[in-house]
Amino acid sequence: MKIGVTLDTRARKTDGTYPVKISVALHGTRAFIPLDVSVTREQWRGGRVVQHPNADRLNNYIGQRFLEVQTAFLELRTAGAFKGMRTAAQAKDAIIARLHPDE
């Protein structure tokens, strides 16, 4: 299983920006956790927001959210929660449940 941050160029918004998402990959499938951040292709380079008026703030927010997801992933992996999971959507749902147990 692999997690990362990506610019989802499949989902162009009307203002010309694309959403930044955390991707979860497992057994050839991918699922995405939205971050409510959108930038243009030119403002996304090497997994970071660049040439944006709020680049530092956005990168800090993305980094914090990614760290939360990474921590939940490691806790779940240590507990053996991913054994038997076949899709990234199942893994994403487990991570989200770990992050937000009350929802």
Side-chain angles (χ1 to χ4, degrees):
M1 187 157 116
K2 184 176 179 181
I3 58 174
V5 179
T6 188
L7 185 68
D8 188 357
T9 57
R10 303 167 307 154
R12 184 174 187 214
K13 294 180 158 190
T14 57
D15 64 359
T17 63
Y18 300 89
V20 177
K21 299 179 179 180
I22 294 176
S23 65
V24 179
L26 178 67
H27 300 301
T29 64
R30 285 177 40 151
F32 299 93
I33 300 170
L35 294 177
D36 298 321
V37 172
S38 296
V39 296
T40 65
R41 286 181 189 231
E42 294 78 24
Q43 293 171 330
W44 185 255
R45 190 174 311 124
R48 295 188 54 80
V49 177
V50 296
Q51 298 176 352
H52 185 284
N54 296 314
D56 288 340
R57 185 179 62 80
L58 292 174
N59 284 320
N60 286 337
Y61 172 75
I62 293 166
Q64 285 177 322
R65 293 293 310 273
F66 182 70
L67 182 60
E68 291 169 0
V69 169
Q70 203 171 28
T71 300
F73 162 74
L74 292 172
E75 290 170 350
L76 289 165
R77 187 176 73 179
T78 299
F82 297 120
K83 290 181 180 163
M85 285 191 188
R86 304 308 312 155
T87 68
Q90 291 172 315
K92 176 196 84 165
D93 291 344
I95 290 169
I96 291 173
R98 180 68 167 218
L99 290 172
H100 306 288
D102 296 332
E103 293 179 13

